[in-house]
Amino acid sequence: MSAPEAPPAPARPLLPAGRPHTPFEDVQGVLTGCLFAALALVMFRESTLLTGGTTGLAFLAHYLGGWPLGAILFLLNLPFYVFGLRTLGRAFTIKTFCAVAVLAAQTELVPALVSFERLDPVFGAVMAGLLAGTGILILIRHGASLGGVTILALYLQKRRGWRAGWVQMAIDCAILSLGLLILPIDKVALSVLGAAALNFVIAVNHRPDRYFGI
């Protein structure tokens, strides 16, 4: 009678177990992610476009009243931190507050460092969307966000059971539709293109099961 076969050895993981980011890594992640997003906002503004979320509302106020985009963006996000504390915890909310503050400052600083003599509107919309999506992705991987609608959507998902993705999409569509009141239809169409490029980057690359650094 032959001896029973030994059970197969457990498969070795292909990737190491995740370790949390260090404070230094989080700081550089917030600074880098916000810089990508700030350059994207400058490109959107240069092309007279807008995007979704509170950033889109900030653009509408900027185009209507001429107020500084960065300051409006910072102020519009203040009420959402209450939802963030209730829904996503203190660490996420503090990081998000810092990220929005950094983005607001960088949005006013970057135009003094770079200018565009010519920016094709289609390229500007797509490139700005890709840059913003990459910046947001970096922030997500460091436990932060750019606040606003994302926090509200997650809060409503927790309290009401509404799907956060659908809530955010509905609000973004409403904000982009408001753009028709002050922008030509071709600018709104290009804004939708930029928003699609932004969400494409996040949808393809934001895979928590593939990322081991959070």
Side-chain angles (χ1 to χ4, degrees):
M1 183 177 180
S2 59
E5 295 183 0
R12 297 179 62 184
L14 297 178
L15 292 172
R19 292 180 297 175
H21 289 296
T22 65
F24 172 78
E25 291 170 339
D26 282 337
V27 169
Q28 70 81 31
V30 168
L31 292 176
T32 303
C34 288
L35 188 58
F36 274 61
L39 180 57
L41 296 188
V42 171
M43 294 179 72
F44 276 128
R45 181 167 56 186
E46 184 73 16
S47 301
T48 320
L49 305 179
L50 51 86
T51 185
T54 49
T55 307
L57 291 176
F59 267 116
L60 291 173
H62 172 70
Y63 292 145
L64 284 172
W67 299 307
L69 180 61
I72 302 170
L73 182 61
F74 179 78
L75 293 174
L76 284 177
N77 274 284
L78 290 178
F80 293 99
Y81 298 123
V82 176
F83 299 109
L85 285 172
R86 294 180 178 180
T87 308
L88 302 170
R90 183 181 300 272
F92 178 90
T93 304
I94 290 174
K95 287 182 181 180
T96 295
F97 176 84
C98 293
V100 173
V102 169
L103 176 63
Q106 290 179 341
T107 300
E108 299 303 319
L109 175 64
V110 168
L113 303 175
V114 63
S115 62
F116 298 94
E117 293 183 2
R118 180 179 181 274
L119 179 61
D120 180 83
V122 175
F123 174 80
V126 174
M127 193 65 216
L130 295 177
L131 281 171
T134 302
I136 292 171
L137 186 66
I138 293 173
L139 293 172
I140 289 173
R141 291 184 171 180
H142 287 271
S145 77
L146 293 180
V149 172
T150 300
I151 291 179
L152 177 61
L154 292 172
Y155 174 80
L156 291 174
Q157 178 173 273
K158 181 178 180 180
R159 294 297 297 270
R160 300 293 183 87
W162 300 351
R163 293 287 296 275
W166 289 109
V167 172
Q168 182 155 346
M169 183 183 297
I171 296 174
D172 286 350
C173 288
I175 292 171
L176 288 169
S177 297
L178 286 174
L180 291 170
L181 300 176
I182 62 172
L183 295 178
I185 189 171
D186 62 319
K187 295 291 187 179
V188 176
L190 287 172
S191 298
V192 172
L193 178 62
L198 185 158
N199 286 284
F200 174 78
V201 171
I202 296 175
V204 172
N205 294 283
H206 183 42
R207 292 285 302 275
D209 57 315
R210 290 182 177 177
Y211 184 69
F212 291 84
I214 296 176

